[in-house]
Amino acid sequence: MRAIARNLGWMLASRGVLAVLSLVYLAIVTRTLGVAGFGRFALITGASQALATVVGFQTWQIIVRYGHQHLKPGDETRLARLFRACGLLDVGSAVIGVILAAVIIHTWGEALGVRPVHARATMIFTIAQLLSIRSTPLGILRLRDRFSVAAAADSVTPATRLIGAVLAALFLPSVTGFLIAWGLAEVLTAAAYWAALARSGDLKLLFAPGIGVRDVVIDHPGIVRFSLATNASSSLGLSSKQIPLLLVGGTVGTASAGAFRLALQLAQALTKVSQLLARAAFPEIVRAVAAGGLARVRQMILRSFLMATVVAAFAFLIVVVFGHPVLTLMGGKEFGRAYPILLWLAAAGCIDLVTVGFEPLLLAANRIGATFIARLVGIGALFAVSFWLSPSLEVIGVSIAVLVNAVIVALLLGLAIQSLLQSEPPATAATGDKSGEIA
């Protein structure tokens, strides 16, 4: 728990900077573009981020999951092979994403809110988003417990967006101007991660000569299944944050998408806290499960559940009290109507926060299928409820669907955790006799 708290502290320091600066640069964007313009900007960036999520692999999880066993001296070759395989996986998925983006923008661009005048800037932003590879260096830094360095690199994003937003508002106050600023932020953040990796010395290991990647599957049995399953699960989980925005834009319009996006940005602060907790906990849970089986993490999961419940309740109270004034302050009176949307989305974020420890434990114990099924059922419910309620309730209907998705995923993950912990009795697990039977 102390290690998780230390890791989380560094990430919260970075995300704290992001949270403060994001309020400023989002206020600049919303007041410059207005509701409809901001909605168009949100649809473009949301579609790009959804595409990057679908095609991209969570290689940082692969590195943390399998790299810890090669940290002992004399095992550098296998570690380098793992690093290189993950790097090549990132590059390959980015290239595929660029090709898909070109096809999508050319074929369905206007349906996604991309006007012909914005097509070039949208494509440039999407390329920057996809080719700004940072998952591999992020995984290496977290494997080495260099969370402070990763946090410093991550802080480049809000700083660059703030400067870019100011310059765009002054010299190019349009959707294109802000897309250029956001794309530049992605490139500079990725550069900061790779620079940090170069200073740590792991960049030389990643590009060490004579290291092939064919034997990585032999070195790590089950790595292909783990990679595909985590990609599918994370794609469903992260896309569920972007899909509602696209549904609003496609069924209600860009103006409603703008209001929805601002409310979603505020509500996602809760989701980001839960993601940070999960990322901080994952390396420690992997080590604990490998060292002593599930008995080592029972109390950790229970404590995290109770603590997260208290934090989530307090966070929702803050949203209820201050949500409307913050929306009005950032976007003006036009965005004040997004307050009911914010409440539904914030409730969904609180559900995500309460169950923050469930998915990392399932991944560490190789119960990857359970997380995929939970996410898949949740996405199905999201679409079903959205299409059912949006004709009558419009954007509120999609917001309710987001909460339904969160509740269903939480229930299914909770059932999977209960089954997992019951499969290894505390007394038996404590002896270590079954520490290897976690798959």
Side-chain angles (χ1 to χ4, degrees), residues 128 131-134 137 153 156-157 185-196:
L131 295 183
S132 298
I133 297 170
R134 53 183 134 168
V156 173
T157 298
E186 295 295 327
V187 173
L188 293 180
T189 302
Y193 269 106
W194 286 101

Side-chain angles (χ1 to χ4, degrees), residues 64-145:
V64 172
R65 172 65 179 82
Y66 292 98
H68 73 94
Q69 55 190 291
H70 302 309
L71 293 178
K72 55 183 179 294
D75 213 3
E76 288 82 5
T77 299
R78 291 182 178 178
L79 190 61
R81 187 181 294 130
L82 177 65
F83 289 172
R84 182 167 298 183
C86 289
L88 291 174
L89 190 59
D90 280 340
V91 172
S93 60
V95 171
I96 293 173
V98 170
I99 296 172
L100 286 176
V103 173
I104 291 171
I105 292 173
H106 177 73
T107 308
W108 299 291
E110 292 200 40
L112 294 173
V114 181
R115 293 179 176 177
V117 69
H118 301 139
R120 179 179 296 180
T122 301
M123 191 65 209
I124 293 174
F125 170 76
T126 304
I127 291 174
Q129 174 91 18
L130 290 166
L131 295 183
S132 298
I133 297 170
R134 53 183 134 168
S135 187
T136 291
L138 174 62
I140 296 172
L141 292 173
R142 286 179 177 170
L143 178 67
R144 302 291 194 186
D145 278 335

Side-chain angles (χ1 to χ4, degrees), residues 26-38:
L26 278 177
I28 295 173
V29 179
T30 53
R31 289 186 175 271
T32 301
L33 299 180
V35 176
F38 180 67

